[in-house]
Amino acid sequence: MSLRAGKGDSSQGPNGHAMETTKAAALQQYLDTDGHFSLVRNFRLADLITISNGVCASLSIFMSANYLATNDEDYLWSALMFPYLGLTFDFLDGKVARWRNESSMLGQELDSLADLISFGVAPALLAFVVGLRTYLDTVVLTGFICCGLARLARFNATVASVPKDAKGKSKYFEGLPIPMSLLLVAVLTYWTKMGWIHGKEGVPLGSITLWGAKGGKGEVHIVSAMFGTMAAAMVSKTLRIPKV
């Protein structure tokens, strides 16, 4: 889910019509503006902050890749820190959008795409880097990313139908918001600090073999269940998290 939902995505409440008119006008601005770099010129401040979230996600991915290539733990620590910084930008973009009274469909889509990388792809790759590297581990991590993708798509498609408060903001999140995956990143950060990673003591609780020989495609780490559980929570229809 995009925490930038607070940008006023609402067709209900006293300001609903005005917000819809503003969004329509913002979309028309992109359609009416010609020029090779017209997209960049039309970015709002909140959009640039959202893109900063995507920059943090991208840097986390590249730092993870550098760690795999060099085994230099400085890269791993950098990869672990960037998603936290991305969350800062994720909170900030919505506040800036409300402060400047700017809302756009492009901003909502940018936010969802940035969130998918920051809180879906980057954490899954970190889990792989730390030690969840078996065939079944990667199946679980792929499912985690795809559930995050589905969660964000559902949010964009249904946000207007979620009950709103007096200010026009959604009363709850349907399914676990994808930024909650930073709880898993926090776990991975602790494991790294304790040396419970691949190449050292290994991830906690070890692995089990569901079929075939140990070390084969039937092996899975028990802690992969954390990612599987969060994936299920993200796409849940009945889990409703009240907005603060």
Side-chain angles (χ1 to χ4, degrees):
M1 190 270 347
S2 164
L3 292 177
R4 194 169 170 181
K7 294 186 80 170
D9 298 300
S10 170
S11 58
Q12 305 176 18
N15 299 321
H17 180 70
M19 290 305 302
E20 288 301 315
T21 301
T22 300
K23 288 173 63 176
L27 177 59
Q28 192 62 43
Q29 180 182 7
Y30 290 104
L31 297 177
D32 292 343
T33 304
D34 294 322
H36 192 67
F37 294 106
S38 59
L39 172 65
V40 177
R41 290 199 303 270
N42 283 324
F43 278 150
R44 291 159 171 77
L45 178 59
D47 297 334
L48 296 176
I49 295 173
T50 301
I51 290 174
S52 297
N53 179 13
V55 169
C56 291
S58 301
L59 288 172
S60 177
I61 291 170
F62 285 124
M63 293 301 103
S64 290
N66 276 324
Y67 173 73
L68 289 174
T70 66
N71 208 34
D72 184 345
E73 268 194 38
D74 286 343
Y75 287 124
L76 177 55
W77 281 110
S78 296
L80 288 164
M81 292 302 110
F82 275 117
Y84 299 117
L85 183 57
L87 181 66
T88 302
F89 289 119
D90 192 47
F91 278 122
L92 188 60
D93 62 6
K95 292 184 180 297
V96 169
R98 290 190 294 273
W99 167 54
R100 295 173 62 90
N101 195 30
E102 294 178 338
S103 177
S104 72
M105 296 177 66
L106 179 67
Q108 178 177 316
E109 298 303 323
L110 278 174
D111 195 56
S112 292
L113 293 169
D115 282 358
L116 177 62
I117 308 171
S118 279
F119 312 123
V121 178
L125 181 56
L126 280 167
F128 178 86
V129 167
V130 165
L132 304 186
R133 302 185 181 185
T134 72
Y135 174 78
L136 288 181
D137 288 340
T138 58
V139 169
V140 173
L141 295 176
T142 300
F144 170 80
I145 295 172
C146 291
C147 285
L149 174 64
R151 169 69 179 81
L152 291 164
R154 180 179 66 184
F155 171 79
N156 287 345
T158 65
V159 63
S161 64
V162 175
K164 309 295 190 295
D165 60 20
K167 296 181 179 179
K169 294 175 62 176
S170 301
K171 291 184 177 180
Y172 56 80
F173 297 128
E174 191 174 87
L176 193 69
I178 192 171
M180 293 298 290
S181 66
L182 285 189
L183 293 175
L184 298 176
V185 176
V187 172
L188 300 177
T189 302
Y190 180 71
W191 289 354
T192 301
K193 179 181 178 181
M194 301 300 294
W196 300 339
I197 62 176
H198 180 81
K200 291 188 174 180
E201 297 184 28
V203 298
L205 302 181
S207 62
I208 57 175
T209 301
L210 301 181
W211 70 81
K214 184 174 178 59
K217 290 187 176 181
E219 184 178 5
V220 61
H221 285 91
I222 295 173
V223 292
S224 289
M226 297 190 306
F227 284 85
T229 300
M230 182 162 286
M234 285 193 292
V235 296
S236 172
K237 176 71 174 177
T238 57
L239 178 63
R240 295 177 176 179
I241 311 295
K243 292 190 68 173
V244 180

